[in-house]
Amino acid sequence: MAAFRAPPRKGENFELSADLNSEYKEKRKDAIKRVIANMTVQKDVSGLFPDVLKNMQTDDLEQKKLVYLYLMNYAKTQPELVILAVNTFVKDTDDPNPLVRALAIRTMGCLRAEKIIDYLCDPLQKCLRDENPYVRKTAALCVAKLYDLKPELVIENGFLETLQEMIADSNPMVVANTVAALTDIHIAAAAAGSNTEVFVITSAVLNKLLIALNECSEWGRVAILNALGRYETHDDRESEHICERVVPQFQHANASVVLSAIKVIMIHMRSVRSETLTKQLVRKMAPPLVTLLSNPPEVQWVALRDINLLLQKRPDILSNEMRVFFCKYNDPLYVKVEKLDIMVRLAGPNNVDALLSELKEYASEVDVDFVRRSIKAIGQTAIKIDEAAERCVNVLMELIGTRVSYVVQEGVVVMKDIFRKYPSTYEGVIPTLCANLDELDEPEAKASLIWIIGEYANKIDNADELLGIFVDSFTEESYPVQLQTLTAVVKLFLRKPDTSQGLVQRILNTATKDCDSPDVRDRAYIYWRLLSTDPGAAKAVVLAHRPPISLPRTTVSPALLEELLGEIPSLASVYHKPEETFVGRGRIGADAIPKGGSELADDRATAQKAFQTVAAGQQAENLLNFDDPTSNDGQQPTGLAATTVLTSTPAATNLLSGTSSNPLDDLVSIFGNTGIGTNAAPPPTPGQPQTHLNAFGGLSFGGQPMSPAPPMTPSVLQAVSPPPQQQQQQGAQDDLLGLF
Amino acid sequence: MISAFFIFNQKGEVLISRLYRTDLKRSIADVFRIQVISNSDVRSPIITLGSTSFFHVRINNLYIVAVTKCNANAALVFEYCYRFIAIAKSYFGKVDEESVKNNFVLIYELIDEINDFGYPQNSEIDTLKSYITTESVMSTSIPAEESSKITTQATGAISWRRGDVKYKKNEAFVDVVETVNLSMSAKGTILRADVDGHILMRAYLSGTPECKFGLNDKLVIDKNERGIGDAVELDDCRFHQCVRLDEFDSTRTISFIPPDGEFELMKYRSTSNVKLPLRVIPTVNEIGTSQVSYVVTVKTNFSNKLSATNVVIRIPTPLNTTSVDTKVASGKAKYVPAENVVVWKVPRIQGGQEISLSATAHLTSTTHRQVWARPPIDVDFQVLMFTASGLIVRFLKVFEKSNYNSIKWVRYLTKLFIRAGYIYSTPQYDTCLLHVCICGMD
């Protein structure tokens, strides 16, 4: 194809037009190929529409496909002309060749021109009942395409009922595509706010799905497994039956089939009552999970993220398999990082030695980010396994001994956590840490070392000297270091008042007079007040006993964990974030609300992160829509609308509540007392939904954060029961919440 | 599901673009170019912007990209991208910019066939080849029965096989190819050894043959039930989609109707009783900043009736190496400056033999010590009739209506590719781990 990407000549379209009308077949076909090539590089060839259309009626299948490809691209821009193609399409759906029939129906569904749709229904009706399964499976998906374009037509023509019947089709591929189409329509309907369930899986449907599962293609299996995950079982016998039928899929070569099967098992295992069966299922799950690691890195990464979730639910699932997660030399960084996390999760007293020697190895690699994470992992291991803490400290000291700058800095940060967890245990290493004082140039590492010095001020002879260095350079340091220096000096003074009076005086002076940060200044004032009025109280406050730290076993709340496990291997499960945070359809159906919202309180951080991404997401959306100026106008109501949906669910309200680091939290104080008696929703404090509605509005409206505040009460009431209209709006504006 | 599919070249030019769904605009390709291709710090294969997620896979300087707008099945999207690559490879050999440009019409035809409205469809190469060909097909030239045969196959329960295959001589070749991952401590004790095995089959059998396949395995799901006798313990296995999984689950028999031609019948893992074909013991000394000395010893670990052939050992040297003096008793060793490695080739090593290399690399002096990733040593070689896991094919039975006789060939090929780390005598790492991974190459 020499013509591909040829330099633009003068009047190229004119030449193409001449060639398309040539009397020679080969010349015409070649011209079509060039048109397609130009289309791919986004050159405008829409002007050739009539010329290309002339070449549609042909026996050459390849040429037909090319013309169809062209039509799919430009049908929308040339609706009047598409009508000329209809005849050929309708004729093709009667062709004796099933491939041509299927091709015609497949393409008609993709044309997306209002005018052609009305002509689609009759052929579609016919094709859904075609004797050839290849045509039927194509037609099934065409119903979903039609629904996407004009839902009324699907309902009027009874296509939904036809699809329901097709679940009983004798051909497994037809069943799979029917399931995919129904699921697609189901989701679209839910997004549009429809209350009727389009795709209800009854026990009769279930049996058909289970039969088709073993016979259809790999992709069909995924569609069917998804549907099985949605089925609600009536008793534990039924759940057991599903699990038993799905387990063989663990041996499939396609990773998405394996992971989808694991999802179905995780969902239905909840209602399996037999202990032995549960144990057996979990045991059967381990080998395929490990085998997933022999896939290409991208698939591996998805599997690792899901394994991470599975381990949060069932920590014992891979207890003997830590070694398979050891990083390989040529693993991409994202895989290595995920493996590190899983290794720490699997670490126990019996395998900690192997883990430590691996981690030590990683700490000598070249990639700085990976090295730092490996050192962090050593610290996490120390905190997780008490009896291994000493060995971890030894490894850390060895690493700090290398005097590689970033290794030392990360090591110091990690040591601080170890001191938190095991106070007064490893004081012996403090001199080594202090010896590296000059190497530190990152705020976090400096702050950590200062914290250690302050904490053990009474055991370090020259603590005043060491802290003096930081006091001298106080104004040049970053704020976290300043805050830590301040606290450490006060600690030193409280422990050794005689030697450090001058030092504390000096730092309080500097901090209150020469420091720009209000935080540092305020803290200095508070210490000063405390020290001058009641040194005893100062001691109680500054030297108070700190609660011990531990490694959290889960990174998401239990309710969210259940939700995410039921979505393996979707994007949500990969990101460990609920779907609503990155898919902006504004749809939170009744079944999407996490059950048992009570435990969600500790999920604030997640919600917080999601909020912070919203602003970024909105910006990104603007970027995505840059060629469609109208969508920007539409964005305003969406921002608010989505928030109202979020707050309308009790669980979400909990998610939103009490986010302490939210910069807009101050608004709570403004509205906090505006009690709304009529608020029917269960959340504890009625003021909170308002606030966050407001906070959200502030984020999305940018310049005018307070604008939605005045009509507060009515909008909250709306929020509790959003009118269907509003939901429709959201469906149309699906770009809303961003993740990155 | 998948809303759009793109192929970009290294520069970010769109080579192929196909929108499957209407929730995206063509200009989304520009977003990917800006956010991923021109961004040097991309650390995840999935990028989500707003509610648009970009999944990308790289191959030969091409980006294969799938875009979704929903909470898509991430594993499925990546499997789909890799399937596309596999199909493209089998159609036009190599997947690179040149071949994509030369075959763009074919690619459009293919991606329309294997995906409809974002849902992957039949992607079995054998079936696709029966109706998507490189020559143009006249719809009139295919008789109606023929085309319906094609469609039945594309949707049938055995979508991977044509019904009318005929061979004069019915043959089936089975290749057992094994891959060993291994890590050893500095003293040579094995910390971890596991085998990744592949059983490749080339079936040239007429009609619709029903095959049964038997191994000397004892699939260990429960680690407490240890295998007895010569049974090999497989930790897990995965099968080509032609294998009936439900039958395997209930009776542990591997039965299937094979696709025509070459395919991967099964993959397996084994971690117990791994016999290592070769051992590589490298010692590396960094002498000051101007020299690195190497002593690499390779020991074979199989009976002296067998031999390893085509052994190629690649030993990495620091980036600022000027020259390397090598001394070997067998084979040839040469420093390849372009790749910063010493390549040591030995045509044959008999079982029970031991060979070694000693070398000194001279470095240019640099003002500061350069960071060097210390890549592992690669060893590539083949041993015939040896499997590290001890796996043996017990039987392959073929049943067909016409009851023909078939000839079966079994070959055990441990064509290997060892990646080895080495002991460093630099002050920091006196007793660090030695990594030797053996991976399979095809």
Side-chain angles (χ1 to χ4, degrees), chain A residues 112-256:
Chain A
R112 308 200 57 83
E114 286 281 330
K115 292 221 170 100
I116 210 166
I117 299 174
D118 300 325
Y119 297 92
L120 174 62
C121 293
D122 286 339
L124 182 57
Q125 197 75 266
K126 212 165 44 193
C127 287
L128 281 170
R129 299 177 201 284
D130 199 288
E131 38 137 44
N132 192 298
Y134 185 78
V135 180
R136 287 205 302 276
K137 86 167 174 124
T138 313
L141 273 180
C142 191
V143 176
K145 292 179 194 169
L146 183 62
Y147 190 92
D148 187 41
L149 210 58
K150 229 177 177 183
E152 315 86 78
L153 275 181
V154 171
I155 294 157
E156 278 165 28
N157 283 288
F159 286 143
L160 284 182
E161 287 73 20
T162 317
L163 280 186
Q164 308 273 13
E165 287 161 28
M166 282 169 76
I167 295 179
D169 200 288
S170 57
N171 186 296
M173 299 274 256
V174 177
V175 178
N177 267 13
T178 308
V179 168
L182 278 170
T183 313
D184 200 88
I185 295 172
H186 182 85
I187 292 169
S194 156
N195 292 323
T196 48
E197 292 259 309
V198 176
F199 186 26
V200 186
I201 301 162
T202 59
S203 43
V205 172
L206 174 76
N207 279 330
K208 292 187 183 109
L209 295 184
L210 287 175
I211 292 165
L213 178 64
N214 265 320
E215 290 170 359
C216 67
S217 79
E218 47 205 320
W219 316 112
R221 287 181 204 218
V222 176
I224 291 177
L225 286 168
N226 277 345
L228 288 179
R230 280 182 44 223
Y231 180 72
E232 278 167 32
T233 51
H234 298 99
D235 51 29
D236 58 321
R237 287 282 305 278
E238 208 172 14
S239 303
E240 282 172 23
H241 179 64
I242 295 176
C243 288
E244 277 162 9
R245 295 290 292 268
V246 169
V247 159
Q249 305 304 322
F250 284 175
Q251 254 70 49
H252 202 285
N254 187 316
S256 59

Side-chain angles (χ1 to χ4, degrees), chain A residues 590-722:
Chain A
D591 53 350
I593 303 169
K595 281 119 200 148
S598 58
E599 318 92 309
L600 279 174
D602 56 5
D603 213 37
R604 288 165 194 159
T606 318
Q608 187 61 37
K609 264 188 206 148
F611 283 168
Q612 282 160 357
T613 56
V614 168
Q618 294 254 338
Q619 280 164 8
E621 279 319 317
N622 291 342
L623 185 71
L624 294 183
N625 286 330
F626 56 71
D627 57 344
D628 187 3
T630 51
S631 70
N632 283 338
D633 310 348
Q635 209 129 55
Q636 288 213 343
T638 339
L640 192 61
T643 326
T644 54
V645 180
L646 266 176
T647 47
S648 71
T649 69
T653 318
N654 264 337
L655 275 173
L656 301 179
S657 64
T659 42
S660 59
S661 53
N662 187 341
L664 288 152
D665 242 13
D666 289 357
L667 292 171
V668 179
S669 53
I670 306 176
F671 299 106
N673 296 327
T674 337
I676 303 160
T678 47
N679 192 346
T685 47
Q688 271 166 358
Q690 270 183 18
T691 314
H692 287 281
L693 181 68
N694 208 7
F696 224 74
L699 282 171
S700 36
F701 292 112
Q704 23 165 267
M706 293 303 286
S707 64
M712 208 59 231
T713 318
S715 80
V716 166
L717 288 176
Q718 256 185 1
V720 175
S721 55

Side-chain angles (χ1 to χ4, degrees), chain A residues 208-331:
Chain A
K208 292 187 183 109
L209 295 184
L210 287 175
I211 292 165
L213 178 64
N214 265 320
E215 290 170 359
C216 67
S217 79
E218 47 205 320
W219 316 112
R221 287 181 204 218
V222 176
I224 291 177
L225 286 168
N226 277 345
L228 288 179
R230 280 182 44 223
Y231 180 72
E232 278 167 32
T233 51
H234 298 99
D235 51 29
D236 58 321
R237 287 282 305 278
E238 208 172 14
S239 303
E240 282 172 23
H241 179 64
I242 295 176
C243 288
E244 277 162 9
R245 295 290 292 268
V246 169
V247 159
Q249 305 304 322
F250 284 175
Q251 254 70 49
H252 202 285
N254 187 316
S256 59
V257 175
V258 177
L259 283 167
S260 299
I262 283 172
K263 165 181 78 177
V264 176
I265 301 287
M266 288 310 287
I267 290 172
H268 290 297
M269 211 162 64
R270 290 174 201 154
S271 34
V272 169
R273 255 182 280 159
S274 148
E275 273 293 311
T276 46
L277 182 63
T278 312
K279 244 190 206 151
Q280 199 189 339
L281 288 172
V282 171
R283 209 174 53 207
K284 280 191 173 174
M285 214 179 273
L289 282 177
V290 172
T291 307
L292 288 174
L293 296 184
S294 55
N295 275 305
E298 291 86 359
V299 182
Q300 248 186 73
W301 181 63
V302 172
L304 286 167
R305 292 291 289 171
D306 286 336
I307 288 172
N308 196 324
L309 275 182
L310 286 164
L311 286 175
Q312 300 193 16
K313 172 79 180 170
R314 299 191 168 271
D316 52 336
I317 205 165
L318 292 166
S319 46
N320 295 322
E321 305 279 5
M322 190 181 71
R323 286 170 192 281
V324 300
F325 293 99
F326 285 173
C327 298
K328 296 203 180 106
Y329 168 75
N330 50 354
D331 279 338

Side-chain angles (χ1 to χ4, degrees), chain A residues 1 4-5 29 33 36-37 40 42 59-62 65-66 69 72-73 97-99 106 112 132-134 137-138 141 144-145 148 171 173 177 180 184 214 217-219 221-222 248-249 251-256 259-260 283-284 287-288 290-291 294-296 298-299 301-302 323-324 326 328-330 333-334 357-358 361 364 366-367 369 402 567 569-572 574-575 579 582-584 621 623-624 627-628 734-735 737-740, chain B residues 13-18 21-23 25-31 35 43-53 55-57 68-76 78-80 82-83 101-102 104-105 108-109 112-113 116-117 119-124 131-132 136-140 142 147-148 151 154-157 181 191-192 196 221-223 235-239 241 245-246 248-249 269 371-373 375-376 419 428-429 432-433 435:
Chain A
M1 233 36 52
F4 192 91
R5 207 56 54 76
K29 190 170 170 187
K33 285 184 183 170
I36 302 287
T40 302
Q42 300 188 22
D59 281 342
D60 186 339
L61 263 182
E62 191 187 21
K65 283 178 184 169
L66 288 173
L69 189 67
M72 283 187 267
N73 260 315
N97 185 342
L99 288 172
R106 188 171 78 198
R112 308 200 57 83
N132 192 298
Y134 185 78
K137 86 167 174 124
T138 313
L141 273 180
K145 292 179 194 169
D148 187 41
N171 186 296
M173 299 274 256
N177 267 13
D184 200 88
N214 265 320
S217 79
E218 47 205 320
W219 316 112
R221 287 181 204 218
V222 176
Q249 305 304 322
Q251 254 70 49
H252 202 285
N254 187 316
S256 59
L259 283 167
S260 299
R283 209 174 53 207
K284 280 191 173 174
V290 172
T291 307
S294 55
N295 275 305
E298 291 86 359
V299 182
W301 181 63
V302 172
R323 286 170 192 281
V324 300
F326 285 173
K328 296 203 180 106
Y329 168 75
N330 50 354
L333 183 73
Y334 53 84
S357 54
E358 276 293 308
E361 182 87 342
S364 66
V366 176
D367 189 291
D369 196 27
T402 61
E567 285 180 16
S570 72
L571 272 177
V574 170
Y575 285 141
E579 189 186 344
F582 62 92
V583 177
E621 279 319 317
L623 185 71
L624 294 183
D627 57 344
D628 187 3
D734 51 294
D735 280 339
L737 297 174
L739 187 64
F740 282 22
Chain B
E13 289 165 348
V14 183
L15 302 182
I16 296 287
S17 104
R18 176 77 177 89
R21 297 179 77 110
T22 48
D23 47 6
K25 295 190 184 63
R26 205 153 282 270
S27 54
I28 201 79
D30 300 330
V31 178
Q35 296 290 333
R43 300 212 142 183
S44 159
I46 310 178
I47 309 287
T48 300
L49 295 162
S51 46
T52 311
S53 305
F55 296 71
H56 70 274
V57 169
T68 70
K69 290 275 278 185
C70 60
N71 186 15
N73 184 324
L76 178 128
F78 283 128
E79 285 277 0
Y80 174 76
Y82 276 102
R83 180 62 50 87
K101 277 183 177 175
N102 288 336
F104 78 100
V105 172
Y108 274 122
E109 216 176 316
D112 249 353
E113 192 57 45
D116 191 7
F117 202 45
Y119 293 96
Q121 301 292 307
N122 181 28
S123 52
E124 282 303 318
Y131 62 107
I132 297 181
S136 54
V137 184
M138 296 295 162
S139 70
T140 45
I142 319 171
S147 61
S148 64
T151 53
T155 54
N181 292 301
L191 294 177
R192 172 170 66 128
D196 264 336
I221 292 292
D222 187 349
K223 293 228 165 175
D235 291 15
D236 184 35
C237 42
R238 279 161 70 179
F239 298 102
Q241 64 165 322
L245 297 180
D246 46 342
F248 177 76
D249 195 56
R269 274 190 309 116
V371 191
W372 178 42
R419 309 204 118 203
Q428 302 103 296
Y429 302 110
C432 74
L433 271 186
H435 275 263

